Amino acid sequence: MKQKNILILMADQLNPSYLGAYGDKISQSPNIDALAKNGVVFESAYCNSPLCAPSRYSFLTGQLASSIGAFDNAAELPATIPTFAHYLRASGYRTILAGKMHFCGPEQLHGFEERLTTDIYPADFGWVPDWSRPHERLDWYHNMSSVIEAGPCVRTNQLDFDDEVVYSVRQKLFDIARESDARPFLMVASLTHPHDPFAIPQKYWDRFKNIEIPLPKISQENVADDPHSARIRTMCNMHETPVSKEQIIAARRAYYGAIAYVDDQFGAILKTLEETGRAQDTTIIVFSDHGEMLGERGLWYKMNFFEGATRVPLIIYSPDEFTPKRISESVSLVDILPTLIDLAGNKISLLEPIEGKSLVPQLQGQSGNDFVIGEYCAEGALAPIVMIRRDHYKFIYSPADPAQLYDLKADPHELNNLFSNPEFNSLVSEFMNEIHKRWNFEALTHSVLLSQSRRCLIHSSEHIGKVRHWDYQPFQDAAHRYMRNHIKLDDLEARARFPRVEPL
């Protein structure tokens, strides 16, 4: 069977409950919604770590963050760990990355043959958390300016970045259509919106004019803080920066505007895919790295295992292969790698066991894995925090904090912690036994602390004297762009024109 192209459209910090495809009535996301209508929608998809870099490393490798040392946003993805780009490249694919992937360290390709843009975030070890000082606020970390300064703008660095990503992707699709390379492509287009700060151009702000933007369903007053949530408030300066009702609404309005912006950018890419004649033989996958709390429980951003932070959209569009459907079984982003290997035709086998399971059985209408594991070892934690989602229960555990058990079917807003309820003693015991079989918390805590110390030393020492940066520098060979004299003019013009003109 012919290998289809694969186009991955990624958003950053996109909570699926704010998409029309997942039931929202305000969202303006027609392109994503159309893919969902004619594709397979996973209604209960999760990230495996509610933070950018660890989540991305997990879906790239099919492994949990603890298995590869991907503890936080300054963690290095080891160059010796195969990613889905390695596997598909070995299977005959041309692998292309544009946009954010948050690679830290000197290896900046990780199996991608081509990388069209630099990253929006730094590639060094400057953002290392410090568990030895858990209650000290990090000056480079999130604060509440994203919320209290939310509203329309003319330009931000995120708009600069995402516009460049979309231009590069569209140009690459045109280039591929005109080139002689017959390999199928795997292309990742990874935007940084709707990630905070909540600032968006006026035209997207105005799309939601005279529309009532709802306040969070669950305010901070409705819940008792767990210790980790309290530490996140301190880390993000939430407790010292009260926000008004008007500021909350403005932030949520801008978030809707950012989603509309993302949808427009995806639409531009999809239009180019059609214009280049590749739409019919391309599988399209849409997902995000994690969610966004957006004021629910008085929390913002991510960094926790509540539904708002850990749920992600996941849509796979290939209507000639898979009948449109909605799947309620819980899946997660570690399932992306084995799914891509299956979609690519299983031409190369996994070299080692991974955590992820292929979603192809569910795409074909069969039952599949209904189980999710999460880990968080970054800011605001005192020790590793882990999560298991099985059936309609979610269990959250850390040696440093009281455990949490929620029945998501009866309690979708996670208001009633059942951990101390005697009726659930048996279920709690099952979860506790499984957790301690899976994780050695003492050893994992030691690994996290050692990793933090190493990276802090490396970062501080490498900023003494002459500094070398790891940030990826895209290369363009100017000798082969536009009009050049080493190619005959007629040949050059014919090669650059799409579609080719047949002489009368």
Side-chain angles (χ1 to χ4, degrees):
M1 186 176 71
K2 180 183 177 183
Q3 291 175 308
K4 293 185 68 173
N5 303 310
I6 299 172
L7 173 63
I8 294 176
L9 300 176
M10 275 198 69
D12 191 339
Q13 206 158 297
L14 175 55
N15 183 329
S17 62
Y18 295 91
L19 291 172
Y22 286 82
D24 189 271
K25 304 300 183 184
I26 297 173
S27 181
Q28 297 182 19
S29 50
N31 293 296
I32 296 174
D33 296 347
L35 293 174
K37 181 179 179 181
N38 297 294
V40 180
V41 178
F42 290 85
E43 297 179 325
S44 184
Y46 288 81
C47 66
N48 300 98
S49 188
L51 196 65
C52 297
S55 175
R56 291 165 184 268
Y57 296 177
S58 292
F59 72 68
L60 282 161
T61 65
Q63 302 198 53
L64 295 175
S66 63
S67 301
I68 53 177
F71 300 127
D72 53 63
N73 272 346
E76 180 180 15
L77 175 58
T80 54
I81 304 295
T83 68
F84 62 64
H86 288 111
Y87 280 107
L88 266 68
R89 190 171 175 182
S91 300
Y93 275 76
R94 181 177 183 176
T95 56
I96 305 165
L97 169 62
K100 176 180 174 180
M101 202 48 72
H102 212 138
F103 291 144
C104 294
E107 164 64 288
Q108 286 291 307
L109 290 174
H110 291 288
F112 287 99
E113 181 180 350
E114 300 171 78
R115 190 169 178 189
L116 307 182
T117 71
T118 191
D119 210 306
I120 191 168
Y121 285 167
D124 61 25
F125 296 154
W127 289 354
V128 179
D130 189 350
W131 282 8
S132 68
R133 297 179 292 174
H135 301 292
E136 182 176 319
R137 174 172 156 66
L138 304 169
D139 59 6
W140 47 262
Y141 201 59
H142 279 284
N143 59 35
M144 292 303 287
S145 63
S146 290
V147 179
I148 63 176
E149 298 172 6
C153 68
V154 173
R155 208 68 193 161
T156 66
N157 63 358
Q158 287 184 234
L159 288 164
D160 292 342
F161 183 79
D162 282 353
D163 283 358
E164 179 186 354
V165 171
V166 174
Y167 171 82
S168 299
V169 169
R170 296 184 66 207
Q171 185 62 47
K172 195 64 186 179
L173 289 171
F174 287 129
D175 291 343
I176 289 171
R178 293 179 290 188
E179 292 171 0
S180 58
D181 193 332
R183 291 177 298 166
F185 64 77
L186 164 72
M187 184 180 293
V188 179
S190 180
L191 306 188
T192 190
H193 285 88
H195 192 293
D196 63 288
F198 304 119
I200 202 69
Q202 189 74 46
K203 73 173 185 176
Y204 291 103
W205 178 260
D206 288 346
R207 284 193 186 184
F208 298 90
K209 187 177 182 180
N210 300 323
I211 294 176
E212 184 177 354
I213 305 296
L215 286 164
K217 296 182 178 69
I218 308 299
S219 67
Q220 185 176 351
E221 293 73 29
N222 296 133
V223 292
D225 255 354
D226 62 278
H228 178 64
S229 294
R231 291 191 299 270
I232 289 296
R233 291 187 196 284
T234 299
M235 188 65 67
C236 295
N237 219 23
M238 295 178 190
H239 62 303
E240 294 183 4
T241 315
V243 294
S244 67
K245 175 181 176 181
E246 290 73 22
Q247 288 169 331
I248 293 172
I249 290 174
R252 291 166 71 88
R253 178 177 174 178
Y255 188 74
Y256 275 116
I259 292 173
Y261 167 82
V262 167
D263 191 78
D264 278 1
Q265 307 318 303
F266 286 176
I269 294 171
L270 294 172
K271 181 180 179 182
T272 304
L273 193 69
E274 291 180 1
E275 290 173 339
T276 54
R278 300 301 179 95
Q280 293 302 314
D281 61 351
T282 300
T283 297
I284 300 167
I285 304 176
V286 178
F287 61 91
S288 179
D289 54 353
H290 50 72
E292 159 67 59
M293 291 300 292
L294 211 64
E296 295 292 342
R297 311 175 78 95
L299 296 171
W300 296 84
Y301 319 131
K302 57 270 185 183
M303 299 96 68
N304 64 67
F305 282 114
F306 293 117
E307 291 287 276
T310 53
R311 284 274 311 284
V312 296
L314 178 56
I315 301 164
I316 298 180
Y317 172 89
S318 187
D320 60 331
E321 287 185 288
F322 309 120
T323 304
K325 62 180 73 69
R326 302 184 75 92
I327 293 172
S328 61
E329 294 167 316
S330 293
V331 301
S332 67
L333 294 183
V334 289
D335 300 327
I336 295 293
L337 181 146
T339 302
L340 290 175
I341 291 176
D342 271 2
L343 292 176
N346 278 306
K347 292 197 171 185
I348 185 167
S349 300
L350 287 169
L351 299 179
E352 58 189 324
I354 61 171
E355 188 65 40
K357 308 291 184 185
S358 174
L359 300 176
V360 169
Q362 282 118 312
L363 294 173
Q364 295 173 336
Q366 306 168 35
S367 61
N369 194 39
D370 187 15
F371 175 73
V372 171
I373 292 178
E375 299 176 333
Y376 183 80
C377 295
E379 296 83 6
L382 301 177
I385 304 172
V386 300
M387 181 272 287
I388 294 179
R389 167 75 198 265
R390 177 181 281 114
D391 195 12
H392 52 91
Y393 292 103
K394 180 194 290 183
F395 190 71
I396 305 168
Y397 176 80
S398 173
D401 299 323
Q404 301 169 70
L405 173 66
Y406 298 105
D407 180 346
L408 296 178
K409 185 176 181 180
D411 177 27
H413 298 301
E414 301 168 286
L415 300 177
N416 185 20
N417 182 2
L418 303 173
F419 177 72
S420 299
N421 186 327
E423 295 181 17
F424 293 88
N425 284 348
S426 177
L427 182 60
V428 166
S429 295
E430 290 178 17
F431 276 121
M432 290 294 289
N433 289 336
E434 180 169 0
I435 279 173
H436 286 291
K437 286 180 181 178
R438 283 184 170 270
W439 288 280
N440 181 331
F441 287 94
E442 183 177 354
L444 180 52
T445 301
H446 174 76
S447 295
V448 173
L449 291 170
L450 180 59
S451 174
Q452 291 175 356
S453 299
R454 285 172 171 168
R455 287 178 286 140
C456 284
L457 172 63
I458 291 169
H459 180 72
S460 60
S461 68
E462 292 190 347
H463 280 71
I464 298 172
K466 191 169 186 177
V467 179
R468 303 283 187 183
H469 295 285
W470 292 328
D471 304 282
Y472 183 72
Q473 179 63 57
F475 176 75
Q476 288 187 335
D477 186 353
H480 291 86
R481 302 191 72 205
Y482 307 121
M483 305 287 289
R484 297 297 181 264
N485 284 330
H486 65 281
I487 306 173
K488 290 182 179 180
L489 179 61
D490 287 346
D491 291 343
L492 189 151
E493 293 285 13
R495 185 187 306 174
R497 184 160 178 167
F498 180 84
R500 295 290 178 90
V501 178
E502 295 296 332
L504 294 176

